Amino acid sequence: MRVPFQRTINAVLAASALLAGWWAFRWAGLALAITVMAFWTILQFNRASRQLRNVADRPKGMVDSVVTLQSKLAHGMHMSDVLAISNSLGQRLNERGNDWLWRDSYGNQIVVTLRRGSVERWSATRTDGQYAVPAPAPAAARPAAAAPDTMRGVEHASVAAA
């Protein structure tokens, strides 16, 4: 979560760590404060590079389900949060890099607009009735109680009342 004045707060925290280190232990405290800040920076870089390495393994702009991605999006989310829930790098739609596109295997797509690195708005386009429905399993291979029911081209298991 980002705080409105995060850069200012980070600068104040860094300065206060340096001053506290100097006040408590002089040069040794100053060296300790710099070491702790460098370690924190390395941890953040490692986290970001690991996340990018994870999403780089997936096809660009493809997600499992646009509907699931749409339900998890929220205003103010950062691009790193969107990458974590989509598990894929989006396709950039314009040169400025504000609009990003994700698609699923059914032809649905979602366009997420970012402003200053945060989600400002999104719009999903669903293709009703034109799904590429996977072939159903043979009737002998599935139990009779869990026979699939198709709804708008997407298979889902019907729930029997107990």
Side-chain angles (χ1 to χ4, degrees):
M1 182 176 140
R2 280 238 167 139
V3 181
F5 300 105
Q6 186 169 5
R7 287 185 180 179
T8 306
I9 292 172
N10 287 342
V12 168
L13 286 175
S16 63
L18 291 171
L19 288 174
W22 176 259
W23 179 75
F25 302 108
R26 298 288 178 205
W27 289 109
L30 194 63
L32 177 66
I34 291 171
T35 303
V36 168
M37 286 188 289
F39 181 70
W40 182 259
T41 303
I42 291 170
L43 282 176
Q44 295 303 313
F45 177 78
N46 186 23
R47 178 179 172 219
S49 63
R50 183 181 59 229
Q51 185 177 32
L52 289 176
R53 190 172 44 247
N54 289 341
V55 299
D57 294 338
R58 302 266 315 238
K60 188 175 180 181
M62 292 297 292
V63 292
D64 294 332
S65 172
V66 166
V67 177
T68 304
L69 177 60
Q70 181 183 10
S71 69
K72 292 181 180 180
L73 283 176
H75 291 284
M77 290 179 82
H78 296 284
M79 183 60 154
S80 60
D81 300 327
V82 176
L83 291 178
I85 62 175
S86 68
N87 291 324
S88 171
L89 293 171
Q91 291 180 335
R92 186 180 293 188
L93 291 181
N94 58 16
E95 292 299 319
R96 292 178 49 209
N98 293 338
D99 296 330
W100 297 85
L101 172 75
W102 283 271
R103 292 187 173 105
D104 63 10
S105 60
Y106 297 110
N108 302 327
Q109 62 185 17
I110 187 166
V111 176
V112 178
T113 303
L114 301 173
R115 181 171 178 236
R116 294 184 181 168
S118 299
V119 173
E120 183 178 77
R121 66 179 179 269
W122 63 90
S123 63
T125 306
R126 298 182 65 185
T127 55
D128 292 334
Q130 301 174 6
Y131 289 104
V133 180
R142 64 184 157 194
D149 181 22
T150 57
M151 179 177 177
R152 292 178 12 149
V154 179
E155 290 189 11
H156 69 280
S158 58
V159 178

